[in-house]
Amino acid sequence: MTPNFNESPVALARQLLGWTLLIDGVGGVIVETEAYDVDDPASHSFNGPTARNGAMFGPPGTAYVYLIYGLHWCLNFVCRKAGHGAAVLIRALEPTHGLDVMRQRRHTADIRLLAAGPGRVGQALGIDRAFDGLTLNAPPFQLIAPAAAVDVASGPRIGITKAAELPWRFGVAGSPFLSRRLA
DNA sequence: CTTTCGATGATCT
DNA sequence: GATCATCGAAAGG
């Protein structure tokens, strides 16, 4: 079972909440996402393909990984259709698998700080440039469907300056593992 | 609780 | 040379 990646980024961002994301058996439940569409000034794909964003124009179900602020690796799921340039940023997980590994990578014991934020997700899962362009439908990735429907909250995306008003950040309502609270 | 600021480097103009 | 889909520590209420 895999998510339906042939969706708009907004639809996929909502759909992914509640799925369990593991890399080599380490990870947790996706509780926060952000949508980035083509024709979206905030998206890395807005000005067309470049060396960095090439994976965004690959087939749906591709990982797009990039380094931000020279320090933090961020993970996205490419969606809609090949060549389109749409993706969903994985912003936070509720840690469930491989807690000890994530605590070592993150240098903290606080479960709430293991994967609450895109840079933290990258560090907790051991992501780097080598994951850019890999398919999400095979190891080391593993995706497990939600057991039950989740209550979705939404709000403006974080840390962007363009199209900042669009409510394209989504989260599991009331989850204590969000990067920031969400109405 | 809140705000501010430095770290750190690839990418694009 | 400026920007950047961030984090953590420090300082101030």
Side-chain angles (χ1 to χ4, degrees):
Chain A
M1 181 111 187
T2 70
N4 177 11
F5 293 114
N6 301 318
E7 292 254 24
S8 73
V10 169
L12 180 64
R14 303 182 69 106
Q15 180 197 344
L16 285 174
L17 298 175
W19 283 77
T20 294
L21 166 65
L22 307 179
I23 296 181
D24 290 323
V26 175
V29 179
I30 298 172
V31 295
E32 184 180 337
T33 57
E34 272 176 7
Y36 288 89
D37 208 347
V38 69
D39 296 331
D40 168 8
S43 175
H44 290 169
S45 62
F46 186 64
N47 291 312
T50 66
R52 172 176 68 159
N53 68 16
M56 277 191 94
F57 294 88
T62 298
Y64 166 48
V65 173
Y66 67 93
L67 183 66
I68 189 64
Y69 295 110
L71 309 169
H72 307 291
W73 294 100
C74 296
L75 171 66
N76 297 254
F77 289 6
V78 175
C79 63
R80 187 168 265 175
K81 62 185 180 185
H84 190 81
V88 173
L89 172 66
I90 306 303
R91 286 196 56 92
L93 306 179
E94 174 182 345
T96 57
H97 292 60
L99 288 246
D100 291 341
V101 174
M102 290 193 279
R103 287 190 169 107
Q104 283 203 342
R105 288 171 174 164
R106 290 274 306 121
H107 308 109
T108 179
D110 188 344
I111 192 171
R112 291 201 186 208
L113 295 179
L114 286 184
R120 291 166 175 162
V121 169
Q123 189 177 20
L125 298 188
I127 288 170
D128 63 23
R129 161 153 284 135
F131 290 78
D132 186 44
L134 295 186
T135 180
L136 298 166
N137 297 310
F141 290 98
Q142 188 180 355
L143 286 159
I144 305 168
V150 303
D151 189 5
V152 178
S154 66
R157 293 176 290 184
I158 292 179
I160 59 172
T161 55
K162 290 163 271 187
E165 71 288 349
L166 292 175
W168 283 4
R169 172 179 174 238
F170 302 93
V172 175
S175 170
F177 300 100
L178 301 178
S179 65
R180 287 172 52 173
R181 298 189 71 164
L182 206 42

